[in-house]
Amino acid sequence: MTAPTRARRRRRTGAGRMIRNRLLVAVPVLFATSAGMFALGAASPIDPAQQYAGAAAFTTSEENLAQIRANWGIDDPLPVQYLRWLGNLLRGDLGWSTSRHEPVADVLAARAGWTLLLVGAALVVVLLASLLLGTLAAYRRGGWFDRALRTTAYAIQSVPSFWLGLAAIALFALSLGWLPAGGLTDITATSTDVADVARHLILPVGVLAVSQLPWFVLFIRDSVADSLRDDHVLAARARGLPGRTVLFGHALRTGLLPFLTLIGTHLPELVGGAVLVETVFSLPGLGAVTVQAALGSDFPLLAATTLATTVVVLAANLGTDLAYAAADPRVRLE
Amino acid sequence: MSRTTGVRLAAGTALLLALVACSSPTNPSGAPADAPLIVATAGEPDTLNPVLNYGVDGAALIFDGLVSRDERNHLVPALARELPTVSDDGKSITARLRDGVLFHDGTPLTARDVVFTYQAVLDEKVDSTLRSDLDMLASVTAPDDTTVVFTLRYAYAPFLQRLTLGIVPAAAFDGQDVNKAAFNRQPIGTGPYRVTSWTPGDRLVLAANDRYWGGRPTNSGVVVAFVPDDNVRAQRTRAGEFDAAELPPKLASGFDTQAGYRVHKTPTADYRGVMLPMGNPVTGDVAVRRALNVAVDRAAMVNGVLGGAGEPAYGPVPPSSEFAEPAVAGAPTADPAAATALLDAAGWRPGPDGIRVKNGTRAAFSLMYPAADSLRKELALAVTADAKKIGIAVTPEGLTWDAITPRMGSDALIMGYGTPYDPDFVSYKLFHSDFAGQGFFNPGSYASEVTDRALRDGRAEADPARRKAAYATFQRQLATDVPWVFLTYLEHTYVVRDSVNGVVPRVEPHEHDVANSIWWNINTWTRRS
């Protein structure tokens, strides 16, 4: 057996052990999050039955509301409610959403896909754009491009994404008429076809990406600028390698390592931004229903969206750690 | 390698963007005459099941009740062949069903479906808030396939007004829990439109019911777009996406000058006012309540707060109602001189800080409003300013409902209610002493024997003239006791495309979304191409 294969095998078993360990940690984390969710819900003074009644709450008698609460079993002690929820969860039943009037699983199935698509597409755009722009800015630090980019980044950072969305609608949908102002498909469309959805997602994805971009661009710029002064980059330049190879092949690659961690920790913020963008562009994603669930003390739906987000964040952390190990030979998976 | 891939990717993206930019945007203004009509609203129903509170006041597009309402909100027969008949003691109502009515799935409507619908509302296992409105209903039976008999616990004159509830097919719920049935998202009714699809958070697509008993709709279908944010809905209306959209007055006024659109202001029975609790030492004094009633500048509130989309309110019965008592209407502007005279006569004398005092009690109280409701907030501030001018210190407090409810017995509150259909509907529970202190029913514990008797007569008397007399007494007594200072009736504003024919606004209740908006008769709308 040659030395490189042995090293690769050790690396692979290291990765396996790490995934196993992370899964073991994930279980108590998920327990704690869901229990915390229920405890917070119990502390909330909001009456879910009144929220359910909506405007009718003001003409509904107290017995009527009490009967509805009894039907839902939400007057039971908190541990009873939690254990019942947990038992149903283990049987694959996420429960009934009191704010949406449908099974939680149906809410997630109908909406999670659109939020994932929005966040995923925006993440790809953010990554590509920030790597390119940040590296170019770092190459001529203090040059006109760098200065312009930084000014724009700070300006965008200080603008609420809600406003950014309305401005984008005013420009691209109203003045120029290039893109639709909102919705998932043309309002008269009879089916959801891919091209139509793609056309409707350009503005929301663009706005979400632009609103998240400044952080990433500035980070890449600083990171690459620092590594341009590293010994191995100076050595590469001294060997007479072309500027572009040095910049993208050496400096950017070193600068990338901390960037991987940044993506993992920044994911929740991206999801938060998606909530606002979904509102502005009237997209049927998870954002609006999560807000509605929180306002209506809808524990089953809140617990499910919280769990889903926790799973995504844990998975993202695991993914970045694995990627880190793959990218940096100094990191060992033990 | 990575460089060439990157370049290719960038080129591909640029190409895609260019292609997308070239393809023409939506432009329904040039839509063919047979294209569906598109309307936009903020309010998305949680369910499309009438039993669970969808479109209970009729005009539900997908459903019909036994009766419906015309453009003057007068009852007309719908699924009932003629208006149901009431027995002499007022406790038994008989409806004969129209022949040949089919549900969207082709099954015929029978009395069994009507009985099922109302029994489902009464069933305690069903999470229906409508049960509170039908507390007079003892039972529903079907002696034969085309007859339905409602038996009431007590004579209730406006009962026919409760028969606008949409009828659902009993067979669709066989062996199912009404709360969780698939029907609630994919409903089957008898109405002018059947549901093609509903994407919650996005839109509801309705197709014309060619076999509609009232005649085939004059358009091929309706799309209801759900756009909760007012600014976004205005932007999308401006982009030409909608034939009709509900917009707040200030945003709608932007369309006054836009070619191709018309702004409709629809009167409502939806009032806002200040509930003054009897349990507060200041608002418990009728002199203070009467002084406030003449000190508020209702005209300024209509113009300033509502942007002109409203009218002054002096009582809970809207001026558009045949039961309205004209004598209770006061002056729309403030009369501080009359207010101060009332306070002086009652012994409220100005103190050193300008605030009046009587027997050591300062004329000061808190005025609560739900913090998220900007309209109620502005009204609270307007009342505060008007009260200051006559030496009463009002402290406006924006709170959440759970903080408001425990304090309703002792602190004033900006509230809103109103239905155009019958004066009994909200007012009975709001002003009858039986409901004193029961949640949102009569939270200020107002009690008057005259009012109690008038309200009871109003619901028990079958004779319209005597009902009218009872409600005239009721309104005059409220104007004397002033348990509320009524401020304004709201108007709902809509922007409708000029090329749409057949728009007939009618007086609306508070609730207006898919059902009961300006598009209540959309099945007779047409579009000029």
Side-chain angles (χ1 to χ4, degrees), chain B residues 455-473:
Chain B
L455 284 170
R456 198 168 294 280
D457 290 348
R459 67 163 44 175
E461 293 281 1
D463 176 38
R466 292 164 86 165
R467 292 197 74 203
K468 199 163 184 311
Y471 286 115
T473 309

Side-chain angles (χ1 to χ4, degrees), chain A residues 58-329:
Chain A
F58 298 99
T59 52
T60 305
S61 66
E62 198 39 55
E63 306 96 275
N64 199 163
L65 291 176
Q67 179 65 48
I68 290 173
R69 279 192 288 269
N71 289 352
W72 293 343
I74 51 173
D75 287 335
D76 295 343
L78 195 67
V80 176
Q81 286 190 56
Y82 182 64
L83 287 178
R84 186 169 52 214
W85 178 80
L86 208 59
N88 288 339
L89 181 69
L90 294 178
R91 282 198 301 275
D93 177 7
L94 285 171
W96 180 260
S97 161
T98 54
S99 68
R100 294 296 318 159
H101 302 227
E102 59 182 328
V104 170
D106 288 5
V107 181
L108 292 185
R111 289 171 177 258
W114 299 123
T115 301
L116 272 182
L117 185 63
L118 176 65
V119 171
L123 188 62
V124 170
V125 174
V126 165
L127 293 186
L128 291 178
S130 63
L131 287 178
L132 190 68
L133 296 175
T135 313
L136 289 179
Y139 188 60
R140 289 260 180 272
R141 206 149 46 131
W144 64 267
F145 181 74
D146 182 32
R147 286 203 305 268
L149 189 75
R150 269 187 300 158
T151 314
T152 321
Y154 287 127
I156 293 175
Q157 185 79 323
S158 59
V159 167
S161 57
F162 195 82
W163 187 90
L164 209 61
L166 286 178
I169 292 178
L171 178 63
F172 293 103
L174 299 187
S175 303
L176 300 173
W178 288 356
L179 292 165
L184 197 57
T185 52
D186 268 351
I187 198 75
T188 49
T190 47
S191 60
T192 44
D193 89 284
V194 178
D196 195 17
V197 172
R199 207 163 63 82
H200 279 77
L201 280 183
I202 289 176
L203 272 188
V205 166
V207 167
L208 182 58
V210 166
S211 69
Q212 300 292 324
L213 203 53
W215 230 91
F216 288 88
V217 167
L218 295 176
F219 188 91
I220 283 285
R221 175 196 167 275
D222 288 352
S223 182
V224 172
D226 279 350
S227 60
L228 272 176
R229 284 190 297 251
D230 278 359
D231 290 345
H232 73 283
V233 177
L234 292 177
R237 198 176 272 173
R239 286 207 303 278
L241 289 174
R244 221 172 352 177
T245 315
V246 176
L247 185 64
F248 287 99
H250 294 79
L252 176 61
R253 191 176 281 186
T254 339
L256 260 184
L257 290 172
F259 186 63
L260 287 173
T261 329
L262 187 70
I263 300 170
T265 56
H266 234 66
L267 204 64
E269 195 163 313
L270 202 63
V271 175
V275 173
L276 286 179
V277 169
E278 280 173 12
T279 312
V280 176
F281 291 95
S282 353
L283 294 174
L286 272 184
V289 284
T290 309
V291 174
Q292 200 186 355
L295 291 177
S297 291
D298 181 355
F299 307 140
L301 182 53
L302 269 185
T305 48
T306 319
L307 275 192
T309 317
T310 317
V311 168
V312 169
V313 170
L314 288 177
N317 274 332
L318 178 63
T320 47
D321 284 354
L322 289 174
Y324 210 108
D328 190 341

Side-chain angles (χ1 to χ4, degrees), chain B residues 293-338:
Chain B
N293 198 29
V294 290
V296 291
D297 191 341
R298 296 175 170 90
M301 293 180 193
V302 169
N303 290 326
V305 179
L306 300 178
E311 53 188 324
Y314 305 97
V317 181
S320 55
S321 164
E322 55 193 312
F323 291 98
E325 166 63 39
V328 300
T333 49
D335 187 351

Side-chain angles (χ1 to χ4, degrees), chain B residues 387-410:
Chain B
K388 189 153 186 280
K389 289 178 196 152
I390 58 165
I392 296 178
V394 175
T395 314
E397 284 187 55
L399 301 165
T400 53
W401 279 115
D402 51 271
I404 289 172
T405 38
R407 292 175 51 184
M408 291 192 296
S410 55

Side-chain angles (χ1 to χ4, degrees), chain B residues 20 32 170 203 234 241 258 265 294 302 327 345 348 351 369 394 479 488:
Chain B
V20 160
R203 66 207 162 115
E241 281 192 57
Q258 180 140 343
K265 282 185 185 170
V294 290
V302 169
W348 291 94
Y369 61 88
V394 175
T488 61

